Amino acid sequence: MKKLVVCFSYGGTTLAKAEQLAKEHAADLFELKAKVPYTAADVNWQDNASRNVKEQNDKSSRPEIELLPDLSGVDELWLGYPIWWYTHPRIINTFLDQADLLKVRVHLFATSGGTGIEGSLKELKETYPSVDFADAVRL
């Protein structure tokens, strides 16, 4: 059984949790990176003109990913991200749109100072009904 932890992390918190999960589950680790890296100005939620606000307000937004992980042979995957605007960053949709997860069990994890992962899980299950989302936890 091949296991993989995939995460998107802006400030390093989610990456640190992903590293712990990879070690705990004897899984490989892959960090998703945006083709155009996010800057501090990009993630300023108080600026309606910031990239983050624009992407989160547009459910069809799909920020480009620098590189996708090799998913061949992966049976179980942990997918992690910070909670942005009460849900997942749109780059997670980009990954799920492009990844072949038909036979993969997906565990979601998110980092957040207070917002739960339930809204994100609901939205992802509705958008990707063929993906086997096993569970979701906020770390």
Side-chain angles (χ1 to χ4, degrees):
M1 176 179 259
K2 186 173 176 185
K3 300 174 182 181
L4 179 64
V5 175
V6 174
C7 79
F8 167 72
S9 184
Y10 167 71
T13 303
T14 308
L15 179 59
K17 295 296 183 184
E19 288 168 344
Q20 290 175 347
L21 282 171
K23 185 175 180 180
E24 179 181 319
H25 294 283
D28 292 330
L29 175 65
F30 185 89
E31 184 181 3
L32 286 177
K33 295 184 180 182
K35 197 169 201 176
V36 176
Y38 289 88
T39 66
D42 289 337
V43 299
N44 181 358
W45 60 272
Q46 295 177 321
D47 178 2
N48 287 335
S50 75
R51 176 178 170 191
N52 170 277
V53 171
K54 289 177 183 176
E55 288 176 358
Q56 292 305 104
N57 283 331
D58 179 5
K59 288 188 178 188
S60 67
S61 177
R62 298 295 187 267
E64 286 186 74
I65 293 174
E66 189 176 275
L67 180 70
L68 284 171
D70 178 6
L71 297 171
S72 58
V74 172
D75 301 295
E76 200 162 14
L77 182 137
W78 285 261
L79 178 59
Y81 46 86
I83 295 292
W84 284 2
W85 286 84
Y86 307 103
T87 192
H88 53 278
R90 299 296 170 211
I91 196 167
I92 297 303
N93 293 95
T94 307
F95 170 74
L96 291 169
D97 285 351
Q98 297 176 9
D100 179 5
L101 298 174
L102 192 57
K103 297 179 181 181
V104 179
R105 186 162 189 120
V106 178
H107 307 271
L108 298 175
F109 68 96
T111 55
S112 170
T115 302
I117 193 171
E118 298 79 17
S120 174
L121 175 62
K122 181 179 184 287
E123 185 178 326
L124 290 173
K125 280 185 168 185
E126 289 171 0
T127 306
Y128 305 96
S130 65
V131 175
D132 178 14
F133 293 109
D135 51 15
V137 296
R138 179 175 63 95
L139 304 175

